[in-house]
Amino acid sequence: MSERAALYLRVSTSEGKQTEENQRRELRKFAQEEGYELVGEYVDHESGRKGRNEREAFDQMFEAAENREFDVLVFWSLDRFSREGIRKTIAYLQQLDSLSVGFRSYTEPYLNTDDELVSHILLSVLSYFAEYEAKKISRRTKAGIERAREEGKQIGRPSKFNEHKGEITKMIEEGASKAEMSRQTDLAWSTVDRYVERIETE
């Protein structure tokens, strides 16, 4: 009994390099040559950087996979499947795998999960590189923040405490109540209370 296959096609209107019909023709031919029974086609005209909830056909495809309506998903290439970044892309592939749905890339023959052992090795290797990339980005981000701090640059939003410290300190010296401080600074009473305690302990 032949496996049931679904096609996922994505064409971003801003790219204009490849038409929907080019993908459809080649993917249909590929599915036929591989002996699949074609049971569905899902087509998006959106950026691959959009998530599942923002790509209607992508979301419908996953719903069909969850309902076991097909056994293998065929797409043109990994960047046609998703361009949300390697970690998110791998998470989608792992989700398909958890549903016992295989995947094939027309232009990337190594993305072939027909062999279960190869499938597990492939996902493990891709997951490793996704984690490595995430750690590398994290290190670069931390290094950038540290460099900015050394250069005296403000990181994040300016502190409201620093903004109101001088004014509140003056009102403390004048004997103003916290309610009066709240009205003058337009800060919540609880915030004023916290700031006063912080000033008095510095």
Side-chain angles (χ1 to χ4, degrees):
M1 186 174 178
S2 60
E3 287 188 295
R4 299 165 302 163
L7 308 182
Y8 176 71
L9 297 76
R10 185 184 65 77
V11 178
S12 177
T13 54
S14 64
E15 291 171 347
K17 294 180 180 178
Q18 185 182 51
T19 68
E20 175 185 320
E21 285 308 313
N22 283 344
Q23 286 190 42
R24 178 179 283 111
R25 182 179 62 252
E26 294 301 322
L27 292 182
R28 283 179 176 177
K29 181 181 177 182
F30 176 73
Q32 183 179 21
E33 291 174 348
E34 293 296 309
Y36 295 133
E37 176 192 357
L38 189 57
V39 295
E41 295 182 4
Y42 302 90
V43 184
D44 273 318
H45 297 87
E46 301 284 354
S47 167
R49 293 186 175 87
K50 292 186 176 181
R52 174 174 171 176
N53 295 333
E54 298 176 289
R55 283 190 276 161
E56 184 178 358
F58 196 67
D59 185 51
Q60 291 173 350
M61 178 271 292
F62 267 103
E63 287 183 1
E66 289 160 3
N67 293 327
R68 291 309 316 274
E69 294 178 18
F70 58 90
D71 305 303
V72 60
L73 180 69
V74 180
F75 45 82
W76 184 267
S77 61
L78 206 55
D79 67 345
R80 291 285 133 187
F81 177 71
S82 173
R83 297 186 68 185
E84 294 179 71
I86 188 167
R87 294 190 74 188
K88 193 68 175 179
T89 301
I90 299 308
Y92 287 138
L93 297 178
Q94 289 174 325
Q95 186 175 350
L96 289 174
D97 184 64
S98 71
L99 296 168
S100 298
V101 173
F103 50 86
R104 300 286 303 274
S105 169
Y106 174 70
T107 60
E108 297 149 334
Y110 56 88
L111 291 180
N112 182 350
T113 57
D114 284 350
D115 185 308
E116 187 175 354
L117 177 61
V118 172
S119 171
H120 290 163
I121 292 173
L122 172 65
L123 287 173
S124 295
V125 170
L126 290 176
S127 296
Y128 168 79
F129 280 109
E131 189 64 27
Y132 175 78
E133 181 66 17
K135 289 179 179 177
K136 189 166 67 173
I137 291 171
S138 177
R139 286 196 297 269
R140 284 202 303 262
T141 301
K142 288 178 181 177
I145 291 173
E146 187 61 32
R147 185 170 61 252
R149 282 178 176 155
E150 289 174 357
E151 294 172 357
K153 295 179 180 177
Q154 175 70 42
I155 306 298
R157 293 183 298 177
S159 168
K160 280 195 172 185
F161 174 75
N162 291 333
E163 180 183 341
H164 294 284
K165 181 180 178 181
E167 184 180 5
I168 292 175
T169 299
K170 183 179 179 182
M171 284 190 280
I172 291 173
E173 293 170 350
E174 293 173 349
S177 68
K178 291 176 183 176
E180 179 63 23
M181 294 179 196
S182 177
R183 286 193 295 272
Q184 291 292 329
T185 60
D186 202 27
L187 294 171
W189 188 93
S190 59
T191 302
V192 169
D193 183 56
R194 189 171 69 252
Y195 286 0
V196 168
E197 183 179 353
R198 184 173 170 182
I199 290 169
E200 290 177 342
T201 56
E202 284 185 345

PDB file of all heavy atoms in Angstrom, residues 111-129:
ATOM      1  N   LEU A 111      17.289  15.250   3.238  1.00  0.00           N
ATOM      2  CA  LEU A 111      16.142  15.388   4.144  1.00  0.00           C
ATOM      3  C   LEU A 111      15.096  14.338   3.776  1.00  0.00           C
ATOM      4  O   LEU A 111      14.005  14.636   3.302  1.00  0.00           O
ATOM      5  CB  LEU A 111      15.543  16.799   4.046  1.00  0.00           C
ATOM      6  CG  LEU A 111      16.401  17.939   4.592  1.00  0.00           C
ATOM      7  CD1 LEU A 111      15.687  19.262   4.424  1.00  0.00           C
ATOM      8  CD2 LEU A 111      16.727  17.709   6.059  1.00  0.00           C
ATOM      9  N   ASN A 112      15.461  13.091   4.001  1.00  0.00           N
ATOM     10  CA  ASN A 112      14.607  11.964   3.643  1.00  0.00           C
ATOM     11  C   ASN A 112      14.401  11.108   4.890  1.00  0.00           C
ATOM     12  O   ASN A 112      15.342  10.505   5.397  1.00  0.00           O
ATOM     13  CB  ASN A 112      15.265  11.151   2.527  1.00  0.00           C
ATOM     14  CG  ASN A 112      14.397   9.980   2.086  1.00  0.00           C
ATOM     15  OD1 ASN A 112      13.394   9.655   2.710  1.00  0.00           O
ATOM     16  ND2 ASN A 112      14.792   9.333   0.994  1.00  0.00           N
ATOM     17  N   THR A 113      13.188  11.057   5.375  1.00  0.00           N
ATOM     18  CA  THR A 113      12.924  10.317   6.610  1.00  0.00           C
ATOM     19  C   THR A 113      12.249   8.972   6.351  1.00  0.00           C
ATOM     20  O   THR A 113      11.606   8.415   7.234  1.00  0.00           O
ATOM     21  CB  THR A 113      12.034  11.153   7.552  1.00  0.00           C
ATOM     22  OG1 THR A 113      10.824  11.507   6.875  1.00  0.00           O
ATOM     23  CG2 THR A 113      12.741  12.419   7.996  1.00  0.00           C
ATOM     24  N   ASP A 114      12.383   8.449   5.139  1.00  0.00           N
ATOM     25  CA  ASP A 114      11.806   7.130   4.857  1.00  0.00           C
ATOM     26  C   ASP A 114      12.424   6.057   5.756  1.00  0.00           C
ATOM     27  O   ASP A 114      11.760   5.130   6.187  1.00  0.00           O
ATOM     28  CB  ASP A 114      12.032   6.756   3.387  1.00  0.00           C
ATOM     29  CG  ASP A 114      11.071   7.510   2.468  1.00  0.00           C
ATOM     30  OD1 ASP A 114      10.148   8.151   2.996  1.00  0.00           O
ATOM     31  OD2 ASP A 114      11.257   7.459   1.246  1.00  0.00           O
ATOM     32  N   ASP A 115      13.732   6.201   6.024  1.00  0.00           N
ATOM     33  CA  ASP A 115      14.430   5.270   6.895  1.00  0.00           C
ATOM     34  C   ASP A 115      14.354   5.825   8.324  1.00  0.00           C
ATOM     35  O   ASP A 115      14.835   6.919   8.609  1.00  0.00           O
ATOM     36  CB  ASP A 115      15.890   5.141   6.456  1.00  0.00           C
ATOM     37  CG  ASP A 115      16.657   4.093   7.249  1.00  0.00           C
ATOM     38  OD1 ASP A 115      16.627   4.165   8.494  1.00  0.00           O
ATOM     39  OD2 ASP A 115      17.288   3.221   6.620  1.00  0.00           O
ATOM     40  N   GLU A 116      13.757   5.069   9.251  1.00  0.00           N
ATOM     41  CA  GLU A 116      13.544   5.553  10.609  1.00  0.00           C
ATOM     42  C   GLU A 116      14.847   5.886  11.322  1.00  0.00           C
ATOM     43  O   GLU A 116      14.954   6.896  12.019  1.00  0.00           O
ATOM     44  CB  GLU A 116      12.767   4.513  11.427  1.00  0.00           C
ATOM     45  CG  GLU A 116      12.365   5.017  12.806  1.00  0.00           C
ATOM     46  CD  GLU A 116      11.501   4.008  13.548  1.00  0.00           C
ATOM     47  OE1 GLU A 116      11.130   2.988  12.942  1.00  0.00           O
ATOM     48  OE2 GLU A 116      11.216   4.258  14.735  1.00  0.00           O
ATOM     49  N   LEU A 117      15.873   5.061  11.133  1.00  0.00           N
ATOM     50  CA  LEU A 117      17.162   5.318  11.767  1.00  0.00           C
ATOM     51  C   LEU A 117      17.767   6.614  11.245  1.00  0.00           C
ATOM     52  O   LEU A 117      18.239   7.454  12.015  1.00  0.00           O
ATOM     53  CB  LEU A 117      18.116   4.144  11.515  1.00  0.00           C
ATOM     54  CG  LEU A 117      19.542   4.303  12.068  1.00  0.00           C
ATOM     55  CD1 LEU A 117      19.510   4.459  13.589  1.00  0.00           C
ATOM     56  CD2 LEU A 117      20.402   3.106  11.670  1.00  0.00           C
ATOM     57  N   VAL A 118      17.734   6.778   9.921  1.00  0.00           N
ATOM     58  CA  VAL A 118      18.257   8.001   9.306  1.00  0.00           C
ATOM     59  C   VAL A 118      17.480   9.208   9.817  1.00  0.00           C
ATOM     60  O   VAL A 118      18.046  10.265  10.101  1.00  0.00           O
ATOM     61  CB  VAL A 118      18.179   7.913   7.767  1.00  0.00           C
ATOM     62  CG1 VAL A 118      18.538   9.263   7.144  1.00  0.00           C
ATOM     63  CG2 VAL A 118      19.105   6.828   7.241  1.00  0.00           C
ATOM     64  N   SER A 119      16.171   9.045   9.947  1.00  0.00           N
ATOM     65  CA  SER A 119      15.312  10.128  10.432  1.00  0.00           C
ATOM     66  C   SER A 119      15.736  10.603  11.807  1.00  0.00           C
ATOM     67  O   SER A 119      15.887  11.797  12.062  1.00  0.00           O
ATOM     68  CB  SER A 119      13.860   9.662  10.461  1.00  0.00           C
ATOM     69  OG  SER A 119      13.028  10.602  11.106  1.00  0.00           O
ATOM     70  N   HIS A 120      15.957   9.649  12.724  1.00  0.00           N
ATOM     71  CA  HIS A 120      16.335  10.012  14.091  1.00  0.00           C
ATOM     72  C   HIS A 120      17.717  10.654  14.138  1.00  0.00           C
ATOM     73  O   HIS A 120      17.934  11.620  14.880  1.00  0.00           O
ATOM     74  CB  HIS A 120      16.292   8.771  14.980  1.00  0.00           C
ATOM     75  CG  HIS A 120      14.905   8.285  15.240  1.00  0.00           C
ATOM     76  ND1 HIS A 120      14.623   7.025  15.713  1.00  0.00           N
ATOM     77  CD2 HIS A 120      13.700   8.892  15.091  1.00  0.00           C
ATOM     78  CE1 HIS A 120      13.323   6.872  15.840  1.00  0.00           C
ATOM     79  NE2 HIS A 120      12.743   7.992  15.456  1.00  0.00           N
ATOM     80  N   ILE A 121      18.635  10.137  13.345  1.00  0.00           N
ATOM     81  CA  ILE A 121      19.980  10.721  13.301  1.00  0.00           C
ATOM     82  C   ILE A 121      19.916  12.135  12.729  1.00  0.00           C
ATOM     83  O   ILE A 121      20.528  13.068  13.249  1.00  0.00           O
ATOM     84  CB  ILE A 121      20.926   9.840  12.453  1.00  0.00           C
ATOM     85  CG1 ILE A 121      21.172   8.496  13.164  1.00  0.00           C
ATOM     86  CG2 ILE A 121      22.252  10.556  12.198  1.00  0.00           C
ATOM     87  CD1 ILE A 121      21.962   7.496  12.342  1.00  0.00           C
ATOM     88  N   LEU A 122      19.160  12.294  11.651  1.00  0.00           N
ATOM     89  CA  LEU A 122      19.018  13.594  10.992  1.00  0.00           C
ATOM     90  C   LEU A 122      18.466  14.634  11.956  1.00  0.00           C
ATOM     91  O   LEU A 122      19.025  15.724  12.102  1.00  0.00           O
ATOM     92  CB  LEU A 122      18.100  13.462   9.773  1.00  0.00           C
ATOM     93  CG  LEU A 122      17.700  14.759   9.070  1.00  0.00           C
ATOM     94  CD1 LEU A 122      18.929  15.421   8.460  1.00  0.00           C
ATOM     95  CD2 LEU A 122      16.658  14.473   7.981  1.00  0.00           C
ATOM     96  N   LEU A 123      17.381  14.281  12.659  1.00  0.00           N
ATOM     97  CA  LEU A 123      16.776  15.230  13.580  1.00  0.00           C
ATOM     98  C   LEU A 123      17.705  15.537  14.754  1.00  0.00           C
ATOM     99  O   LEU A 123      17.751  16.666  15.236  1.00  0.00           O
ATOM    100  CB  LEU A 123      15.437  14.691  14.097  1.00  0.00           C
ATOM    101  CG  LEU A 123      14.288  14.719  13.082  1.00  0.00           C
ATOM    102  CD1 LEU A 123      13.076  14.015  13.631  1.00  0.00           C
ATOM    103  CD2 LEU A 123      13.934  16.166  12.721  1.00  0.00           C
ATOM    104  N   SER A 124      18.457  14.537  15.197  1.00  0.00           N
ATOM    105  CA  SER A 124      19.401  14.760  16.292  1.00  0.00           C
ATOM    106  C   SER A 124      20.498  15.723  15.876  1.00  0.00           C
ATOM    107  O   SER A 124      20.872  16.641  16.623  1.00  0.00           O
ATOM    108  CB  SER A 124      20.020  13.434  16.739  1.00  0.00           C
ATOM    109  OG  SER A 124      19.042  12.580  17.286  1.00  0.00           O
ATOM    110  N   VAL A 125      21.028  15.522  14.666  1.00  0.00           N
ATOM    111  CA  VAL A 125      22.091  16.399  14.161  1.00  0.00           C
ATOM    112  C   VAL A 125      21.569  17.819  13.963  1.00  0.00           C
ATOM    113  O   VAL A 125      22.208  18.797  14.378  1.00  0.00           O
ATOM    114  CB  VAL A 125      22.674  15.854  12.836  1.00  0.00           C
ATOM    115  CG1 VAL A 125      23.606  16.879  12.196  1.00  0.00           C
ATOM    116  CG2 VAL A 125      23.418  14.547  13.085  1.00  0.00           C
ATOM    117  N   LEU A 126      20.395  17.943  13.362  1.00  0.00           N
ATOM    118  CA  LEU A 126      19.814  19.266  13.139  1.00  0.00           C
ATOM    119  C   LEU A 126      19.517  19.960  14.468  1.00  0.00           C
ATOM    120  O   LEU A 126      19.722  21.167  14.604  1.00  0.00           O
ATOM    121  CB  LEU A 126      18.535  19.144  12.305  1.00  0.00           C
ATOM    122  CG  LEU A 126      18.720  18.737  10.839  1.00  0.00           C
ATOM    123  CD1 LEU A 126      17.365  18.548  10.158  1.00  0.00           C
ATOM    124  CD2 LEU A 126      19.549  19.764  10.072  1.00  0.00           C
ATOM    125  N   SER A 127      19.034  19.198  15.455  1.00  0.00           N
ATOM    126  CA  SER A 127      18.751  19.758  16.771  1.00  0.00           C
ATOM    127  C   SER A 127      20.020  20.264  17.432  1.00  0.00           C
ATOM    128  O   SER A 127      20.036  21.311  18.083  1.00  0.00           O
ATOM    129  CB  SER A 127      18.079  18.711  17.665  1.00  0.00           C
ATOM    130  OG  SER A 127      16.836  18.344  17.149  1.00  0.00           O
ATOM    131  N   TYR A 128      21.109  19.505  17.262  1.00  0.00           N
ATOM    132  CA  TYR A 128      22.398  19.915  17.836  1.00  0.00           C
ATOM    133  C   TYR A 128      22.826  21.254  17.252  1.00  0.00           C
ATOM    134  O   TYR A 128      23.238  22.167  17.984  1.00  0.00           O
ATOM    135  CB  TYR A 128      23.464  18.861  17.559  1.00  0.00           C
ATOM    136  CG  TYR A 128      24.868  19.340  17.859  1.00  0.00           C
ATOM    137  CD1 TYR A 128      25.341  19.369  19.168  1.00  0.00           C
ATOM    138  CD2 TYR A 128      25.697  19.812  16.833  1.00  0.00           C
ATOM    139  CE1 TYR A 128      26.621  19.839  19.453  1.00  0.00           C
ATOM    140  CE2 TYR A 128      26.967  20.288  17.121  1.00  0.00           C
ATOM    141  CZ  TYR A 128      27.423  20.293  18.429  1.00  0.00           C
ATOM    142  OH  TYR A 128      28.680  20.771  18.697  1.00  0.00           O
ATOM    143  N   PHE A 129      22.740  21.388  15.933  1.00  0.00           N
ATOM    144  CA  PHE A 129      23.162  22.629  15.301  1.00  0.00           C
ATOM    145  C   PHE A 129      22.229  23.785  15.665  1.00  0.00           C
ATOM    146  O   PHE A 129      22.660  24.929  15.779  1.00  0.00           O
ATOM    147  CB  PHE A 129      23.242  22.461  13.781  1.00  0.00           C
ATOM    148  CG  PHE A 129      24.507  21.786  13.333  1.00  0.00           C
ATOM    149  CD1 PHE A 129      24.483  20.498  12.837  1.00  0.00           C
ATOM    150  CD2 PHE A 129      25.729  22.427  13.445  1.00  0.00           C
ATOM    151  CE1 PHE A 129      25.650  19.855  12.442  1.00  0.00           C
ATOM    152  CE2 PHE A 129      26.914  21.802  13.059  1.00  0.00           C
ATOM    153  CZ  PHE A 129      26.870  20.511  12.551  1.00  0.00           C
TER     154      PHE A 129
END
